[in-house]
Amino acid sequence: MMINIITDICVVGVCRFPLGMSGGQIQDEDISASSQWSDSTAAKYGRLDFEDGDGAWCPVITDEPDSLKEFLQIDLRSLHFITLVGTQGRHAGGIGNEFAQMYKITYSRDGSRWVPWKNRQGKEVIEGNRNAYDIVLKDLEPPIVARFVRFMPVIDHSMNVCMRVELYGCEWLDGLVSYNAPAGQLMILHDMPVYLNDSVYDGAMAYSVMTEGLGQLTDGMSGLDDFTQSHVYNVWPGYDYVGWTNESFPSGFVEIMFEFDRTRNFTTMKVHCNNMFSKWVKTFQKVVCYFRSESDWETTPISFSPVVDDVNPSARFVTVSLHNHMASAIKCQYHFADVWMMFSEITFQSDTAMYNTTLAPSKGPTRTGDNPTHKVDDSNTRILIGCLVAIIFILVAIIIIILWRQVWQKLLEKASRRMLDDELTASLSIQSETFTYNNNNHSSATSEQESNSTYERIFPLGPDYQEPSRLIRKLPEFTKASDEAGESTASAQDGVPHYAEADIVNLQGVTGGNTYAVPALTMDLLSGKDVAVEEFPRQLLTFKEKLGEGQFGEVHLCEAEGMQDFMDEDFISDISENQPMLVAVKMLRADANKNARSDFLKEIKIMSRLKDPNIIRLLAVCICSDPLCMITEYMENGDLNQFLSRHEPEGQIALLSNAPTVSCRNLHYIATQIASGMKYLSSLNFVHRDLATRNCLVGKKFTIKIADFGMSRNLYSGDYYRIQGRAVLPIRWMSWESILLGKFTTASDVWAYGVTLWETLTFCKEQPYSQLSDEQVIENTGEFFRDQKRQIYLPQPPICPDSVYKLMLSCWHRNAKERPSFQEIHRILLECQV
Ligand SMILES: *[C@@H]1O[C@H](CO)[C@@H](O)[C@H](O)[C@H]1NC(C)=O
Ligand SMILES: *[C@@H]1O[C@H](CO)[C@@H](O)[C@H](O)[C@H]1NC(C)=O
Ligand SMILES: *[C@@H]1O[C@H](CO)[C@@H](O)[C@H](O)[C@H]1NC(C)=O
C-alpha cells in the first residue's frame, strides 16, 4: 500500500505534493464537516493513512433522499493548484468496514461561491474505494484552483460511509482568482465545426461574456500546433483553445480582465497562442495592458507588439514584460493580427513566484508576507489625506486673504499660474515615461525567460514516505554539473529531497532540445582534448529558412559557401566543389544566460567527438563572436516522424489513396540504421535520453541520422509532459525507471528505441499510448514498476512481424538488465532479413 502511494507521487509531475492531511500541516480547525456520527469520527479524523479516533470521518446518515448533503471540507488557507485526490475508508485495525464507493468534489476560492468539479467529459461523480483500507488516487483532469475543497460522498443508504482523504498539488503562485473574457466562438473550417469555447470555465456565462471563473486558460495544458487536435482523448475539435474572430470585435481587440488574490509586483505575462496562419490564425499583433492597484485603473497602460510570425506555424508562448507594475487586477486588450486569435494558456509571474517555498505549502506564508504592502499603502493614504487637508487649509487661508486684502490679488494670480505650469510639465513627463516603456518591451521580452529559474520546488513528502529511500530521489537526476544545480542541492533542508526547477531548464538544453547526457567517464575524455572542429566564417552563411525554435535559440537552414574545405576527408558528401552546401545552423540567442552558453559549448564539444554514419555530424562552428552557432549536416527529408506520416505502407490503402509508400525493406533499413547509430553512442557510454522518430533525420535514399535539434520541442510539444504549461519530459518514450527514479542509462535508451521502432512500424500515425492521458501514462509506469501484470504494452502494429514485436517487447522488459543491448538489437535486425 505504501509503495503504491510513493510510486504515484514520485512521478515527475511536479505539482503533486501531499498538501498536509496525512502530513499534519493542515490543522484540525481547518478540517470541518456537515455532520459527524460521533465525536470520535469527527472531521479531523478524516486524514488519509491516519488511524486516530475511530479511524475516519463518518457523517450522520439520515433517511432523507438528498444523498449529497454531507461533506468533508478542507481549508487550505491560500489558493492551491490541486491535481490529485486520494481517498480511503475506515479500517480501524479491522473493526471498520465503511467507505465511499463514489463521491463528488466541490470547491471554492472565496468560501462563498462553490463550483462542482467535472472531468473533461462533463462527469461529476468520481469512483471511490472498493474496500476500507486501500488508498485510491484520482487525477483531477482538469485540475482545480481553490482554497476550499469539499468531498461529498454519494450515499445510497445500502451502507454507512466513512472517509479519509488527502489533496495533492502545490501553491497557486499565479495568484489569479478569476478572468473575465468574451466567450470563445465557433469556427467553421471546411464544413467542420471547431468549438473554441472555454471548455472548462468554472464561472458564470451571460450574454456571451464569461465572468468570475477560471478555466482552460489556467488549466496547465497548452494546445497543440494544430488547433483542431487535442491531447485530450475523445473531445470536440478546438477543445484546447479559446478563440475569437475579428468579425465580432469591431474595436479590433479582445479584452480579458484578470483578478488576483492581492496586490502583486508583476514581472511577466506569458500567453500561449496558436499560429496556424494557413487557417487564418495568428498570435496577437499588439497587447495593451492596464493595471489596477487600489480601486482605480491607472491611466498609463503598457503596450507590447510581438513580432508577427508568418513562417513558423507552431503554437508558442509569447512573453510580455509587465515591468514590475504593482496591481491586483490587470486588463489586457489583445489586438487581432489575422481573422482568428486563439489562446490556450495565460500565466502571470509575480514577486511571490520567486519565493523559495521551503515550507510545506499548506500554511499561508504568502498571506503574512503581503501585509507590509498593505501597510505601506495605508500609510500612503494617510499621508495623502494629510496633504489634502493641509492644501484645503491653505486655500481657505488664501481665500480669506483675497477677501480681506484686495491689494494682493494680482500677486496671487501670478502664483497660481505658475502652479498650473508646473502641473503641465509633470503630466508631460509621465507620458514620455510611457513611451520609454514601449521601447523597452522589445528587448526585455526575450531576455526574461530564464529569470524564474532561481525558484525551486521542494518535495514535502512526509517522513513516512521517505523510508524506501531509493525511491525518493531527486527526480530526474541530472548528470549536468551546473553551478545552479550544485547550489540547490546544497540548500536541501533536513534531508528532504527536492526538485529544482532550474534543472528542467537545463534538461531542455540550449536551444530547447536536450543535449546528450555526459557520464563522468566521458567528461574526462572531453576535458583532455580540445574541440576538434573549426571556426567557420560567418559571412559565408546565407539564411534560407527557419527550421525551428527553442527556448534559447533557433535552427536555420542556410547555404554555406566553401564548406567542403572545413570537412574531414573521412566525411563523404556528394556535394560538388564550388557549390554552396545546405546546412542546418543552430544558433544561441545573443542574450542567453551564462548557463545556456556553457551548455551550448559543452554540446559542441560532445558533438564534435561523434563521428558515425548514423549520427548527425557537426561540420563547423562560429564561436569567436555572438551569436554562437553550430553548423551541422542538413537532411533534406526532415525528421522521420513527419517523413513517415506523409507515407503509407505498401498495399491496398496506398494504392487507393495514391499516397507515397515505404516498403518493408526500407522500414527495416531505417530501423537498422537507428540501432546502428545507437550502438555507436552506447559504445561511448553516451545516453541520448530522447530517442524518438522526431529526433531522427531522413536524408536521401532513406538514410537516417540520429540528431537532437531544438526544433523538436516546439513542433512536438504534445509529446512532452507538461508541468503547468511548460514542456518538460517525453514520458511516452521513457522507461519506467527514468520516470519514477530519474535513472537514464543505455538501457532506458533501449526502451525508447522500442517505442521508436513501434512508431516507425505504425508510420507515426498516432502517438504512443494515444488512448491514455499523460496521467494515465504515468499510472501505467507505476504498473510496470509493480509488475502485477496490469501494465499496458503498445500493441503489435498490423504490419509488424512477430519476431520484431518480440524484440520490441524485450526492449520494455521491467528489469533493465534483461533488455537487449544495442549491439544485440542491431545483430537481431540484421539476421531477420525481410
Ligand atoms: C463548448 O462547446 C461544446 C461543443 O458544442 C459543448 O459540448 C460544451 O458544452 C461547450 N462548453 C461550454 C463550457 O460552453
Ligand atoms: C517590484 O520588484 C522589483 C524587483 O524585485 C523591485 O525592484 C521593485 O522595487 C518592486 N516594486 C515595488 C513597488 O515593490
Ligand atoms: C479581419 O482580419 C482580416 C485579416 O487581417 C482583415 O482582412 C479583415 O478586414 C478583418 N475584418 C474586420 C471586420 O476587421
Side-chain angles (χ1 to χ4, degrees), residues 435-456:
F435 179 67
T436 5
Y437 277 153
N438 295 347
N439 279 346
N440 282 349
N441 270 324
H442 295 276
S443 57
S444 54
T446 45
S447 62
E448 172 278 335
Q449 302 205 329
E450 255 287 289
S451 68
N452 280 356
S453 62
T454 50
Y455 131 63
E456 52 186 46

Side-chain angles (χ1 to χ4, degrees), residues 1-2 4-6 9 18-24 26 31 43-52 55-57 72 74 84-89 103 129 132-138 151 163-168 464-465:
M1 190 164 71
M2 185 73 77
N4 287 6
I5 309 168
I6 291 160
I9 296 164
L19 294 181
M21 288 294 279
S22 46
I26 295 174
I31 310 170
K44 64 178 176 187
Y45 299 115
R47 296 175 185 271
L48 195 87
D49 236 8
F50 263 59
E51 299 278 347
D52 292 6
W57 162 69
L72 176 64
I74 300 160
L84 184 72
V85 291
T87 57
Q88 201 180 11
Y103 62 98
N129 298 84
Y133 41 90
D134 273 335
I135 294 170
V136 173
L137 296 171
K138 290 286 173 187
F151 287 82
M163 286 184 97
R164 288 179 282 170
V165 303
E166 176 66 290
L167 299 167
Y168 303 83
D464 295 352
Y465 297 147

Side-chain angles (χ1 to χ4, degrees), residues 309 311-312 543-549 554-557:
D309 180 351
V311 180
N312 181 352
F543 173 81
K544 305 282 290 179
E545 186 183 319
K546 186 155 118 186
L547 295 175
E549 189 173 15
E554 292 180 350
V555 183
H556 292 171
L557 173 64

